Structure formats: structure tokens, C-alpha cells
Amino acid sequence: MQEKSSIDLSPELLQRFHDVEENLKVIRENIAEAAVKSGRSPEDVILMAVTKTVPVEVINHALSLGVDYMGENKVQELNSKYDSLIKQDKHIHLIGHLQTNKVKQVVGKVEMIQSVDSERVASAIASKSRELGIVTNVLVEVNIGREENKSGVFPEEAHELVCKISEFDGINVQGLMAIPPADCEIIQTRRYFEEIYKLFIDIGAKKTHNSNYTMNCLSMGMSADYSEAVLEGATMVRVGTALFGRRIYNK
């Protein structure tokens, strides 16, 4: 059977497999170097493969190489791939904006939703989770650059939202997620990362014995800036293009 599957692979797919293997080595080395510089162990930082537009075969190859976390941006794309994914001992997250009317299509399939930015969405996730008899982990998304066209709460609103939604049965608030503005110089991006890290630590420090949230996960940093994110305290980086190559969109 193994021999047959290799015969079925096209040269293009084999090349993509090779590229993923080489890219993964570089990414892991960069994460390890940045983690050590920040006074942590490389094992303290989770690499998440961002799989938007990536074919299932290529995703599964990355998962077979020891990438244990993958994140999809859109519910529809996640559902189209879900049944074909390697799922044993893997962690699937939704990282893109989630509309309330799509909540029922994703809860129960993902371990975490990283893009919670309102009580309404959190309430819908909690309700569906209770219906299924599960608890869904969530992160509160922070609009660190205060961009009008981007989802997420402003930094000064984050603690209040964390506290409010952590009272909902069916969800478990585990930290924060942020995406700095895309057109920043790297020095400014690092300032944003520093700001979100301080917020992350501050909300954790305000936790009382009655609080129902934890600040275990700080998800920040993508292909262009994941090393800087690790230097500034990220516990998870979300890497797509640097791992899988340039995205190919269907016309």
C-alpha cells in the first residue's frame, strides 16, 4: 500500500513535500534560537501551521513531520478538509474571524477558537459546547493596532471581556491572540508584541481565586515576524507562507 501511495504522488506534490521539510527545519531552528534568547526553552513555544489554501495532502505531510497544531481561517474551508485530516494526537484551531451564525458548524471540531472578540460570539460557542457536552477553549482577540477594518477588542477592553465570558459554562478562556498591523516596520511590530505581552501578563496578574480564566496561551507572530514574537514572549506562533510557500488561490 505504501508503495502505491508514493506512485500516486505527482512531481509537484513531492516537491512541495520536500519544501515543507526544509522550511520546517529552518522555522524550528529560528524558534529555538529566539526562545533561548528570551530565556526560555524551545519547547515553551508552539508552532502552529496555518493551512489556509493548503491542500490536505500537504497539511497531512506537515502533521506527519511532527507539527502538532494547525489553524484554519475559515469555517467552510476547515469543514471541507476536516474528514481527510490526520487528527490523532493533533490540535486543530480556528484562527480566523468567526460569525455567530457559523458557530454551530465549528464547535466540536476544533480544540480552540482563537478569535473571540465579543460576548455574543462567546455565548454562542458556550451554548453549542454545552449542547455537545464539551468545553471549547478560546482566546480573546485583541486589536492591538486599533485598526478599523480588523476584528478584536481594543487593549483596554480585553480584561473586561475575559472576565465576562469566562463565566460562561462551556468555554475555557486560556489567553490572548493578536495580529499587529501588516504594514509596520519590524521595530514597530516588536513594540506591538511587547504591548500585548504586557497586557497578557497584567490580565494574568489580576486573576483571583474566583476567576475562571487562565493566561496560558499568547498567540502572536506569523511568517514575517514569528522570531520577533518569540523574543517578546509569544507562547504560540502561527506560520503559513514560511512553511508551505506562497498561497495559491483558486480563481
Side-chain angles (χ1 to χ4, degrees):
M1 288 297 290
Q2 198 168 7
E3 208 170 296
K4 181 181 182 302
S5 21
S6 20
I7 293 171
D8 289 340
L9 296 176
S10 67
E12 291 80 9
L13 202 52
L14 285 170
Q15 182 60 53
R16 287 201 74 174
F17 283 5
H18 173 74
D19 291 345
V20 168
E21 291 164 18
E22 294 303 307
N23 293 341
L24 182 58
K25 289 177 190 174
V26 173
I27 293 165
R28 282 175 168 159
E29 287 170 3
N30 290 341
I31 289 174
E33 182 181 352
V36 170
K37 282 184 180 176
S38 70
R40 293 180 292 160
S41 164
E43 288 72 33
D44 293 336
V45 182
I46 293 169
L47 168 62
M48 166 168 283
V50 177
T51 52
K52 182 179 180 181
T53 78
V54 180
V56 171
E57 298 89 343
V58 181
I59 299 171
N60 281 339
H61 186 63
L63 296 174
S64 75
L65 297 172
V67 175
D68 293 331
Y69 288 75
M70 62 156 283
E72 271 292 349
N73 290 74
K74 295 185 178 180
V75 173
Q76 185 176 352
E77 186 170 357
L78 171 67
N79 288 338
S80 71
K81 298 172 179 176
Y82 187 79
D83 289 340
S84 302
L85 291 170
I86 295 173
K87 291 186 278 290
Q88 187 174 359
D89 300 322
K90 302 299 179 182
H91 309 271
I92 301 174
H93 292 199
L94 184 77
I95 60 175
H97 180 66
L98 178 61
Q99 297 173 316
T100 311
N101 62 355
K102 299 280 183 70
V103 165
K104 291 182 179 180
Q105 299 176 37
V106 72
V107 171
K109 291 183 175 177
V110 297
E111 180 180 295
M112 178 180 280
I113 296 170
Q114 294 199 12
S115 49
V116 173
D117 61 358
S118 70
E119 287 185 63
R120 187 180 175 197
V121 170
S123 177
I125 295 168
S127 176
K128 183 61 180 177
S129 299
R130 290 194 302 271
E131 183 185 315
L132 296 174
I134 62 172
V135 174
T136 301
N137 297 320
V138 303
L139 302 181
V140 166
E141 181 177 0
V142 181
N143 185 344
I144 195 66
R146 302 174 183 274
E147 297 171 272
E148 289 183 10
N149 60 344
K150 193 175 282 183
S151 56
V153 296
F154 287 166
E156 63 272 17
E157 302 166 336
H159 182 233
E160 183 181 1
L161 182 61
V162 166
C163 290
K164 282 183 177 177
I165 69 174
S166 67
E167 297 300 321
F168 297 165
D169 290 334
I171 64 172
N172 179 22
V173 182
Q174 290 205 332
L176 305 178
M177 184 270 267
I179 306 171
D183 55 354
C184 285
E185 295 289 336
I186 201 69
I187 190 166
Q188 180 59 48
T189 299
R190 282 194 67 166
R191 289 194 189 111
Y192 282 125
F193 288 151
E194 183 182 15
E195 183 182 345
I196 196 73
Y197 178 73
K198 286 178 179 175
L199 181 64
F200 174 73
I201 295 298
D202 183 53
I203 293 175
K206 289 176 178 174
K207 186 177 184 297
T208 69
H209 68 279
N210 292 323
S211 302
N212 295 315
Y213 65 84
T214 57
M215 285 288 119
N216 294 332
C217 182
L218 178 56
S219 175
M220 64 180 189
M222 298 188 290
S223 287
D225 52 29
Y226 65 88
S227 289
E228 287 75 20
V230 174
L231 287 170
E232 297 298 341
T235 67
M236 176 182 290
V237 292
R238 309 179 305 272
V239 181
T241 303
L243 178 60
F244 295 114
R246 183 177 57 84
R247 289 194 177 115
I248 302 169
Y249 293 90
N250 294 323
K251 292 182 181 179

